[in-house]
Amino acid sequence: QVQLQESGPGLVKPSQTLSLTCTVSGGSISSGGYYWSWIRQDPGKGLEWIGYIYYNGNTYYNPSLKSRVIMSVDTSKKQFSLRLSSVTAADTAVYYCARGSDYFDQWGQGTLVTVSS
Amino acid sequence: EIVLTQSPDTLSLSPGERATLSCRASQSVGSNYLSWYQQIPGQAPRLLIYGTSSRATGIPDRFSGSGSGTDFTLTISRLEPEDFAVYYCQQYGSSPPYTFGQGTKLEIK
């Protein structure tokens, strides 16, 4: 069964860029027709889909975050990544990577990212 | 963007009882593309149901989903101790962004 694991800094300063990586194990990132998503969870706002990427680099971002989000994929390392620029305290959340573009059948354990000076 | 409203916010029941959770959409969900997730505190959400009524791999048959249009239901026929958690609905029937409900907490009475 495929497993996903997020990694990256747990603390980011305001106005800086949040960078996270998701490593996929137990399966291929480039076969099966799967898309790979980022989702975040803020206790106050619930779950929010950030966007998805396909193994060929095609992406689709949530319009509300589109101007600040860049996703990338490295198939040789079986990793995909999220960059969110110009962060504020409102971006503090648990960030999950997940498999799927519409519904999400495998999730990473999540990583808490706090935006604070 | 479709807004999903779940009710009730909290549901208090005992093991062995039947649970009925509701999810209402602000507009019709295309192709009834609605999913349900279970989240235990400290863990990631787990997919239970997709396409309104299809159970995900490994999900017990005490979990069932139904509905269409704007009204959807997750039913747990006989509650087990491990079922007490927070449940979220999510729609993917319209163009992204795909949206989630605010959650229903199922707690032990």
Side-chain angles (χ1 to χ4, degrees), chain A residues 39 41 47-49 52 60 62-63 96 101-105 107-109, chain B residues 35 37 39 42-47 50 88 90 92 95-98 100:
Chain A
I39 298 161
Q41 186 171 31
L47 289 157
E48 180 179 33
W49 172 77
Y52 63 65
Y60 198 113
N62 187 325
Y96 294 100
S101 61
D102 37 32
Y103 63 87
F104 312 103
D105 65 349
W107 296 62
Q109 66 184 26
Chain B
S35 58
Y37 300 83
Q39 187 175 33
Q43 297 185 17
R46 176 175 71 143
L47 177 67
Y50 63 94
Y88 295 94
Q90 178 233 340
Y92 53 100
S95 298
Y98 303 132
F100 293 84

Side-chain angles (χ1 to χ4, degrees), chain A residues 24-74:
Chain A
V24 179
S25 59
S28 172
I29 198 172
S30 55
S31 66
Y34 292 111
Y35 289 72
W36 305 91
S37 287
W38 288 97
I39 298 161
R40 66 183 183 179
Q41 186 171 31
D42 168 350
K45 293 176 62 177
L47 289 157
E48 180 179 33
W49 172 77
I50 299 171
Y52 63 65
I53 188 166
Y54 197 49
Y55 77 94
N56 63 1
N58 287 349
T59 56
Y60 198 113
Y61 303 143
N62 187 325
S64 69
L65 298 167
K66 185 177 181 178
S67 63
R68 300 195 289 130
V69 171
I70 297 175
M71 294 183 185
S72 58
V73 61
D74 185 335

Side-chain angles (χ1 to χ4, degrees), chain B residues 20-96:
Chain B
T20 302
L21 287 67
S22 175
C23 177
R24 176 163 290 179
S26 60
Q27 56 188 280
S28 185
V29 176
S31 303
N32 293 327
Y33 282 162
L34 187 113
S35 58
W36 290 92
Y37 300 83
Q38 176 194 65
Q39 187 175 33
I40 294 168
Q43 297 185 17
R46 176 175 71 143
L47 177 67
L48 299 175
I49 301 286
Y50 63 94
T52 294
S53 59
S54 297
R55 274 188 300 276
T57 302
I59 301 303
D61 61 6
R62 64 179 182 274
F63 291 91
S64 63
S66 62
S68 65
T70 61
D71 290 295
F72 298 86
T73 300
L74 174 70
T75 301
I76 311 172
S77 58
R78 293 174 311 279
L79 285 167
E80 298 286 343
E82 62 267 28
D83 298 336
F84 293 90
V86 180
Y87 291 83
Y88 295 94
C89 58
Q90 178 233 340
Q91 67 80 25
Y92 53 100
S94 62
S95 298

